[in-house]
Amino acid sequence: MTYDVVVLIEREMSEGDARRVAALHAKREEPVEYHLLVSSHPERGFGGPMALLGSSFADVAGLTGSASVVGSATGPSARISPPAAPPGPGRTPTAVLADPAVDLASVIEHSSRQLRAASGYPVHVSITHGEVLLALMQMVKATGCQEVVVVAWPETAAAFLCSDWITKARKLLKVPRVRLLEHDT
């Protein structure tokens, strides 16, 4: 039996991101399978660093099929770039991560390679062009995962913590564990 983990990202995972995700499961006795869910910035309710706040749980629970499904296509989307913070004292600029709105193939290739190298476990990739929370719900159900890890920008993570998003997500997704990690910047 495997321990299935869905990892939701909105930008390419850095090596540090992948190491931190893998470290969460390093001591598991059973093999781990990662299911990487990549958003390609759909046109409504999602986009950029605040992307995961685009939908309320009430909206998601009340939708009846009008939203896009994992792997389906919607029209063009607005592109919002991550915040460009200048390096502080003693900090060096970090590598630029690929943006799915510009180079989705690089996001998929680099992120899955980083996570596979850091963990030593298989990484399956899915793309959502539509409503991220619906895609996440569908992936959790399809994989029977036991855990969801969201890798988000610092502003998104802070907003999630303030709104008790993690508790709401755990209840809605019906998984024992939901974790939130900030992108390694």
Side-chain angles (χ1 to χ4, degrees):
M1 182 167 202
T2 63
Y3 185 78
D4 291 279
V5 179
V6 173
V7 180
L8 174 61
I9 62 172
E10 60 182 337
R11 291 286 195 270
E12 177 183 330
M13 290 180 79
S14 68
E15 183 179 343
D17 294 334
R19 279 196 318 260
R20 289 180 23 233
V21 170
L24 296 172
H25 312 105
K27 294 184 180 179
R28 296 215 62 92
E29 291 183 20
E30 67 267 66
V32 176
E33 283 200 30
Y34 291 103
H35 304 274
L36 192 61
L37 180 59
V38 181
S39 170
S40 66
H41 299 285
E43 62 189 27
R44 53 176 205 139
F46 196 84
M50 297 305 286
L52 300 174
L53 298 175
S55 298
S56 72
F57 281 92
D59 292 341
V60 172
L63 290 173
T64 59
S66 60
S68 300
V69 191
V70 174
S72 67
T74 61
S77 61
R79 179 172 168 243
I80 302 174
S81 299
R91 294 186 69 192
T92 57
T94 58
V96 176
L97 300 178
D99 181 344
V102 177
D103 191 359
L104 187 58
S106 289
V107 170
I108 292 167
E109 178 188 348
H110 297 154
S111 298
S112 60
R113 186 175 348 120
Q114 296 280 23
L115 187 53
R116 199 170 19 260
S119 69
Y121 290 117
V123 177
H124 309 280
V125 179
S126 295
I127 303 164
T128 180
H129 302 286
E131 172 52 59
V132 174
L133 291 176
L134 281 177
L136 185 58
M137 289 170 59
Q138 290 169 346
M139 180 165 280
V140 165
K141 186 175 180 181
T143 63
C145 80
Q146 295 89 354
E147 182 174 341
V148 172
V149 177
V150 179
V151 183
W153 291 103
E155 310 72 46
T156 307
F160 278 171
L161 293 174
C162 290
S163 68
D164 198 25
W165 189 89
I166 295 170
T167 301
K168 293 173 187 172
R170 190 172 47 249
K171 288 178 184 175
L172 180 71
L173 297 171
K174 298 179 178 122
V175 293
R177 179 172 286 158
V178 175
R179 300 185 201 224
L180 177 64
L181 298 178
E182 289 183 10
H183 269 292
D184 185 31
T185 57

